[in-house]
Amino acid sequence: MLSKNLEKALNAQIRHEAESSQIYLAMASWAEVQGLEGVAQFMYAQSNEERQHMLKLVRYVNERGGHAIVSDLKEPAVKFGSFKSMFETLLKHEVFVSQTINTLVDISLSEKDYATHNFLQWYVAEQIEEEAQARTILDKIKMIGDDKAGLYLFDSDIRNFTSVGKPSEN
Ligand code: OFO
């Protein structure tokens, strides 16, 4: 059985993951109207992944005798400036999510809830991967600079990062 404290903290994480999904969906839509199909596809896939992260938490909280709460969400931005600044925002957001996961790990340890500690390890590993991926993409963008041909190549290249595929496939 989850403690009330941990239940509350896990519910806060459900909200973070749902907000991540909304942010990446907004990025996907923005990239799509800019005509960058590859970037849009990547962001749609990221958005789907975050929704899966959220659902995994919902199921866990309920399975452990808590009640997963579906809350209202912060409205994401509509425009993201440039592709570089969009991916900088993405990286910053993932670093924030990693911190929230670390806080949850701390709470689970202090409460000696080893089941939750074990459950959270999946998220710890996932965050390492997501931060690394965002840094790799940013490095590529920095190499391209403002070069239009480079941006075109980047757009087709980023499809290789998409592991989940198009939204319609999910
Ligand atoms: Fe990328 O944030 Fe979920 O875990």
Side-chain angles (χ1 to χ4, degrees), residues 51-60 119 122-123:
R51 180 174 161 76
Q52 294 308 317
H53 298 172
M54 184 265 293
L55 285 174
K56 206 173 156 81
L57 277 154
V58 167
R59 304 298 301 275
Y60 180 75
F119 169 78
W122 183 87
Y123 287 84

Side-chain angles (χ1 to χ4, degrees), residues 109-122:
L109 276 181
S110 69
E111 293 193 4
K112 296 190 168 40
D113 185 334
Y114 299 116
T116 300
H117 181 266
N118 185 48
F119 169 78
L120 289 170
Q121 293 316 299
W122 183 87

Side-chain angles (χ1 to χ4, degrees), residues 13 16-17 20 24 46 49-50 53-54 93-94 97-98 101 122-123 126-127 130:
Q13 192 64 32
H16 294 319
E17 302 291 347
S20 302
Y24 301 155
Q46 286 300 113
E49 273 195 31
E50 297 302 344
H53 298 172
M54 184 265 293
H93 186 73
E94 287 303 327
V97 172
S98 298
I101 295 288
W122 183 87
Y123 287 84
E126 183 70 12
Q127 283 313 117
E130 295 206 332

Side-chain angles (χ1 to χ4, degrees), residues 2 7 15 28 30 62 85 87 96-97 99 105 123 169:
L2 286 175
E7 180 181 347
R15 187 192 189 124
W30 181 73
N62 290 340
S85 73
F87 278 97
F96 163 74
V97 172
Q99 285 162 354
V105 172
Y123 287 84
E169 290 165 7

Side-chain angles (χ1 to χ4, degrees), residues 6 12 19 29 35 63 74 77 85 99 124 130 136 147 150 157:
L6 205 40
E19 284 180 344
S29 180
E63 196 177 272
K74 222 189 284 165
S85 73
Q99 285 162 354
V124 172
E130 295 206 332
T136 305
D147 182 51
D157 195 33

